[in-house]
Amino acid sequence: MENQLSNMNRRGFVKIGTLAATATLLPGFASAQTTAPYKLPDLPYGFDALEPHIDAKTMEIHHDKHHAAYIKNLNTALEADAELAKKPLEKLLGDLTGIRDEAARTTIRNNGGGHWNHAFFWETLAPASKAGEASKELAAAIDAAFGSMDGFKKAFGEAAAKRFGSGWAWLIVKDGKLKVTSTPNQDNPAMEGIVDAKDIGTPILGLDVWEHAYYLHYQNKRPDYVAAWWNVLNWGKASERFAAAKG
Ligand code: MN3
């Protein structure tokens, strides 16, 4: 359904050639503001809640400095354009090619993507004691797509390890099926016309593989960070997102 809507609007966009809003493939956030100016959302747990898998200092710098900087830059760009500022972030990111000014488009791509991806990432994590399990439906879809949970973790870990430089590994729903992919920088699976068509879909999980996400504790050992991440993955949230994406 969501995908059909997206295709329909994409055709509409091409046909009428206006800034018509495309359907967003991004789930929203319960506590998020819908339009600018954006504020840094609180973490849903303490900085040290993910220890020893993700250390407190990394979480503090990642949230208070990196995420805060994306928001500041995003707000600055939107202050300069009242029309863009009225659009919800999910719509801006889903229709970046509709932003005519190249500088604004680049800033919103990098910093709007940075804000959205990090807000999504914090909610993707949970203390190990609260990580839970995949719903029956999500577990069955993982088995169908990857053969087993281990098969999924292997595919996801490879996507995370092979992403050269900075970026994200994703589990997305595309055409009703689960798929692993990755994007560079702060791009995400809603950026139609920006990222490769094969990477477009509704995100269920996202893993930040920028060095700032792990370097203090793991240094160059990105695969160790990815392996530890499974311990603090919020399966309840992933299952909710999957149910919503499947409609
Ligand atoms: Mn980050």
Side-chain angles (χ1 to χ4, degrees):
M1 168 70 189
E2 187 141 16
N3 205 59
Q4 283 168 354
L5 191 60
S6 167
N7 288 337
M8 186 177 77
N9 282 352
R10 192 160 51 224
R11 282 199 300 276
F13 174 77
V14 170
K15 192 171 150 196
I16 57 182
T18 69
L19 298 181
T22 52
T24 176
L25 296 163
L26 295 174
F29 301 104
S31 59
Q33 309 128 279
T34 51
T35 51
Y38 295 98
K39 286 190 209 138
L40 182 64
D42 289 335
L43 281 181
Y45 35 72
F47 293 131
D48 62 356
L50 310 180
E51 294 260 12
H53 310 292
I54 303 180
D55 65 284
K57 196 66 183 170
T58 294
M59 290 299 290
E60 182 180 349
I61 296 171
H62 200 175
H63 178 267
D64 288 7
K65 305 296 184 195
H66 291 277
H67 190 174
Y70 296 125
I71 292 172
K72 184 166 180 281
N73 294 336
L74 173 64
N75 284 335
T76 300
L78 293 175
E79 268 169 28
D81 191 319
E83 283 306 305
L84 289 180
K86 282 188 217 157
K87 296 179 83 177
L89 181 57
E90 284 81 0
K91 292 254 187 285
L92 284 173
L93 297 178
D95 190 22
L96 281 168
T97 52
I99 300 174
R100 301 296 165 93
D101 181 78
E102 192 181 337
R105 184 168 64 241
T106 300
T107 301
I108 292 167
R109 174 181 179 179
N110 290 336
N111 294 279
H115 174 32
W116 194 92
N117 292 352
H118 285 80
F120 185 81
F121 185 57
W122 310 134
E123 292 189 356
T124 299
L125 303 174
S129 62
K130 295 182 182 162
E133 286 181 359
S135 66
K136 257 189 239 168
E137 293 75 15
L138 177 55
I142 285 172
D143 286 347
F146 307 103
S148 65
M149 181 60 82
D150 283 347
F152 162 55
K153 288 185 176 178
K154 185 163 178 282
F156 194 90
E158 280 172 5
K162 284 182 185 161
R163 168 49 54 192
F164 184 76
S166 298
W168 291 74
W170 303 96
L171 175 67
I172 61 173
V173 172
K174 185 182 179 73
D175 301 329
K177 287 185 187 148
L178 289 173
K179 199 178 161 207
V180 162
T181 186
S182 77
T183 55
N185 304 314
Q186 296 297 349
D187 288 353
N188 72 40
M191 294 180 177
E192 289 199 49
I194 298 285
V195 304
D196 198 291
K198 71 176 169 43
D199 298 325
I200 295 293
T202 303
I204 307 300
L205 297 174
L207 173 59
D208 188 342
V209 297
W210 283 56
E211 284 190 344
H212 70 225
Y214 64 87
Y215 204 84
L216 284 182
H217 186 70
Y218 293 97
Q219 290 86 46
N220 58 315
K221 298 179 289 257
R222 186 192 285 182
D224 290 1
Y225 157 70
V226 177
W229 180 74
W230 295 111
N231 295 300
V232 290
L233 196 162
N234 187 339
W235 280 108
K237 178 57 75 176
S239 302
E240 267 175 42
R241 289 170 178 162
F242 179 66
K246 291 281 283 179

